[in-house]
Amino acid sequence: MLLAIAAARSPRARRNALLLSLAAVGTVLAPVAIVSSAVSAFGSKATSMSGVSCVTGGLHLASSTGASYSLAPDQMANAETIVTTGRNMGIPVKGQVIAIATALQESNLKNINYGDRDSIGLFQQRPSQGWGTREQIMNPVYSSWKFYKGLQKVPGWERMAVTDAAQAVQRSGFPYAYAKHEPKAVGIVAGMTDGGIEQINSSGCTPVGAPASDDVAGYVRVALQQVGKPYVWGATGPDSFDCSGLIVYGWRQTGYQLKVRTSQQMYSVAVPIAEGQERSGDLIFTRMAPGGPEHVLIVVRPGVAVEAARTGIPVRVREYDPKKEPMKFGRLPTTQMEAISGPA
């Protein structure tokens, strides 16, 4: 259905396809009237999304994992308020995506009157930190306006990754948590923008599910070349590795520095992949704990992985079976990779 949205030629056809896709995914969706009013609230002026990880790869990912952009009526109304407020302030579409991704993480697009310490509202803003009075923050228009004002104070936010820009405003204790909401945020904003998915797809963005290098085989090959080297907790090569250190080293030797280091951090930003849809280079998270996974492996090919397992077991290749061992699969988004001049 998402691919049908992208293929629709006219804004009206794309809009109808979006409504049909929303109606098909569950019983907690916004009524069509709410969705229609959200879409019709915008003009036809095209807005660039350059710099947002959002194009066809993200749509294919959503389709292959069975994910959907379903929203309850209150969530839809709050999303509409956030996007409309940004548009009225002249905030580019990328800024609207940042705001939606932030609200998804902080409140799941619900205007809640509780949170950590005195945090409240869509963005979990705190009266004690100068965001406004409790009454003001509980007003979705005000809290959206306040978020955008904070975003505008961040130098160069337009060129930043979505998760980095959100963190610069929020200063969260979980700085990598916003990245996983980016695909859904893009889908929500697209559905509220005349021109829809096709407009976003034509902006030259990078697929959120794609690795930073076309040569994923190179990264996996580097990891395989470490087989037999000892496991040492906290080691990132070249002579020894822990589980996530092997991943960091592999990408570094391929020309990219990761912004995340531990298995928990990688899990918090990874784009979820459905079991059976994993491919070479994807990550497997195991030993789930309250703080996240305690172990991560690299998919060599479906059913086979390379890992730095634990003390006493050197880097090895092994078969895996998610039916016998609890596993979750993910793919690191490009927003968590920075190109470097050469292997380090």
Side-chain angles (χ1 to χ4, degrees):
M1 184 60 74
L2 288 172
L3 297 181
I5 297 172
R9 294 184 177 181
S10 69
R12 181 179 295 276
R14 284 190 297 272
R15 186 176 306 162
N16 291 339
L18 174 67
L19 297 178
L20 287 173
S21 71
L22 288 173
V25 294
T27 60
V28 296
L29 303 180
V32 169
I34 295 179
V35 181
S36 299
S37 67
V39 176
S40 62
F42 299 90
S44 59
K45 182 179 179 181
T47 312
S48 173
M49 291 273 294
S50 179
V52 184
S53 301
C54 62
V55 298
T56 306
L59 298 180
H60 281 300
L61 176 66
S63 177
S64 65
T65 60
S68 61
Y69 301 136
S70 60
L71 296 174
D74 60 331
Q75 292 174 304
M76 191 69 202
N78 289 328
E80 181 180 358
T81 296
I82 293 170
V83 173
T84 302
T85 300
R87 188 176 178 87
N88 290 340
M89 292 176 66
I91 301 294
V93 175
K94 179 175 180 179
Q96 298 166 30
V97 170
I98 294 168
I100 291 290
T102 302
L104 282 167
Q105 169 60 28
E106 299 293 353
S107 68
N108 196 26
L109 282 173
K110 291 182 176 292
N111 195 30
I112 53 180
N113 61 0
Y114 58 87
D116 179 49
R117 288 169 285 190
D118 60 335
S119 299
I120 53 173
L122 289 173
F123 297 91
Q124 289 292 278
Q125 295 158 335
R126 299 179 60 190
S128 65
Q129 299 301 307
W131 287 96
T133 66
R134 184 178 179 84
E135 292 72 19
Q136 287 175 320
I137 294 173
M138 288 302 296
N139 182 322
V141 175
Y142 174 88
S143 62
S144 300
W145 173 81
K146 196 68 174 178
F147 176 85
Y148 286 124
K149 295 299 289 186
L151 183 65
Q152 289 177 318
K153 294 178 181 179
V154 177
W157 70 263
E158 301 91 340
R159 299 182 298 277
M160 297 172 66
V162 169
T163 187
D164 293 339
Q167 173 62 9
V169 179
Q170 298 295 102
R171 299 181 182 179
S172 169
F174 302 93
Y176 306 105
Y178 304 101
K180 62 178 176 286
H181 299 289
E182 185 175 337
K184 186 171 184 177
V186 168
I188 290 171
V189 175
M192 295 184 181
T193 304
D194 200 19
I197 299 290
E198 183 175 275
Q199 171 185 308
I200 291 184
N201 282 351
S202 66
S203 64
C205 310
T206 302
V208 71
S213 169
D214 291 333
D215 187 16
V216 179
Y219 143 67
V220 175
R221 185 168 54 248
V222 170
L224 289 171
Q225 289 170 348
Q226 313 314 311
V227 170
K229 293 184 179 180
Y231 175 98
V232 174
W233 186 85
T236 316
D239 300 319
S240 57
F241 302 88
D242 67 7
C243 62
S244 54
L246 182 64
I247 296 164
V248 172
Y249 182 81
W251 276 117
R252 187 185 298 161
Q253 297 305 302
T254 313
Y256 294 88
Q257 180 64 48
L258 299 187
K259 297 181 181 180
V260 287
R261 171 59 179 83
T262 67
S263 58
Q264 292 88 353
Q265 291 171 343
M266 292 177 183
Y267 179 74
S268 73
V269 303
V271 178
I273 304 296
E275 179 186 325
Q277 298 293 325
E278 72 273 16
R279 63 193 189 200
S280 182
D282 287 343
L283 303 181
I284 307 172
F285 300 100
T286 65
R287 305 176 196 166
M288 302 303 293
E294 296 179 347
H295 186 51
V296 59
L297 307 80
I298 304 169
V299 175
V300 177
R301 58 177 172 79
V304 177
V306 58
E307 66 173 346
R310 60 181 181 272
T311 302
I313 298 178
V315 178
R316 64 180 179 177
V317 174
R318 74 169 175 94
E319 295 182 346
Y320 67 86
D321 184 351
K323 293 180 174 57
K324 296 180 180 178
E325 179 182 1
M327 292 179 167
K328 293 187 178 182
F329 299 88
R331 184 172 303 151
L332 289 178
T334 55
T335 54
Q336 300 303 313
M337 302 178 181
E338 293 182 342
I340 53 180
S341 57

